[in-house]
Amino acid sequence: MDSSIRSLALVDCNNFYCSCERVFRPDLDGKPVVVLSNNDGCVVARSNESKALGVKMGEPWFKLRNLAREHGIVAFSSNYALYADMSNRVMSILSQFSPVQEVYSIDECFLDLTGFTDIRERAYDVRKTILQWTGLTVCVGIGPSKTLAKLANHVSKKHPKSKGVFDYNLLSQSQQDNVLAHLEAGDVWGIGRKLSTGLSTIGIDSVLQLRDADAPSLRARYGVVMEKTIRELRGDACIELEEVEPPKKQIVSSRSFGQCVTELHDLQDAVAHFISNAAGKLRTQKSVAGLLQVFILTDRFRPEKSQYSPCISIPLPVPTADSLQLNRWACDGLKRIYRAGYDYKKAGVILADIRPEHIVQEDLFAVQETKPREALMDALDKINARFGRGALKISSDGSHRAWEMRADNRSPHYTTDWEQIAECR
């Protein structure tokens, strides 16, 4: 193959959350496994065995209990500390295979392999190394654009003959046409169910038909993103790799409670926790926020209960990333919207009007204490980075925990807590 052809590889971990659990529970190999969302509500990850039993993504767990008992489905509560650590290990390994890497999600990563003369062998080496070093299996799809790499990865998972690696660039024109003709338009990255239905009404059902469609007319109908998708399917790279994640323009920290709370101090406790998380992310990307929103929600799935779901927006006099200042404003806003007599199911904070920390209009009349507080926040972040999140926190964060989410089947933090490290016997 011509080494000058653009070769983008998408490396995707198979059934990532379930696979992470199985790494430390090899007795679960071959058994149906699912991972549940916060509060053990819905299925968010499935093993192949669970998929074969008909378990669907997003299905409420309480509806599956009979099926679980009948077939021995093992359910885990989400263990994001474990998944994040395993993801970091995978991404670190992948960085050794290409100088250009985009971490696309917790379990997906793009690599630019353009110019390498051993692309196929390199892809198999990726699979072998990650399996040997982490216990996780990955599939690798290679194509001249990100959309075709995603599609190639889809093919690598569906067809055992590929052995986990599918290089679209190695196919002849007729082979490419044949592959695309047997894939549904809905399999393409960015073509959701609604859009797929709309395409079907105008006679576009396969990826081949979408690739060969008239791009300008579909752009006029569905927008510029559709034209980019079509051109990507034709091999023109319109979506570039992003080696550095752009700063977030909005940060949301919220959670549904394990049980309803009614008292203001419990809500303050939860909001303080959310502020700590959001402010930490804000400082990590060296930004400050100029707007803070606080919201609380009752349980909309229980219409027999009184409903009240207010939200308050607080423009900050000086944009900040200071956890203490943000918490003070958040608690003030919470007091203004709180009403006694309601069962609250969820709360959260939103940081908006985010800008770089060096672009701040100071308050002319405010007491200048910025530098000492920056040092305090820096110390807080370093201590938490070394000893774990929450080692040093706002005093009201975690005082009551009446709102803590339910996680009855969470696995140990095998890789991030010395007290819970896996034992070999």
Side-chain angles (χ1 to χ4, degrees), residues 349-368:
V349 300
I350 302 173
L351 300 180
D353 188 17
I354 292 176
R355 65 193 74 174
E357 61 184 3
H358 62 274
I359 305 177
V360 175
Q361 179 68 51
E362 298 285 354
D363 185 344
L364 180 63
F365 303 103
V367 178
Q368 298 300 315

Side-chain angles (χ1 to χ4, degrees), residues 171-239:
L171 304 180
S172 65
Q173 185 61 55
S174 61
Q175 289 174 322
Q176 291 179 1
D177 292 350
N178 186 49
V179 169
L180 298 186
H182 287 84
L183 293 173
E184 297 179 0
D187 293 332
V188 176
W189 188 25
I191 304 293
R193 186 180 303 172
K194 185 176 179 182
L195 192 52
S196 176
T197 304
L199 290 171
S200 183
T201 61
I202 57 175
I204 298 176
D205 295 305
S206 71
V207 180
L208 182 66
Q209 290 172 320
L210 180 61
R211 186 199 68 180
D212 295 339
D214 183 60
S217 63
L218 285 186
R219 172 178 175 155
R221 190 175 186 131
Y222 296 109
V224 67
V225 176
M226 175 60 78
E227 182 176 6
K228 283 186 176 180
T229 299
I230 293 172
R231 297 195 181 284
E232 286 251 318
L233 289 173
R234 294 172 182 172
D236 302 329
C238 301
I239 309 171

Side-chain angles (χ1 to χ4, degrees), residues 31-32 49 53 65-74:
K31 296 181 180 177
E49 296 79 7
L53 290 173
R65 291 195 184 279
N66 290 335
L67 186 71
R69 275 193 291 270
E70 183 180 353
H71 296 280
I73 299 175
V74 180

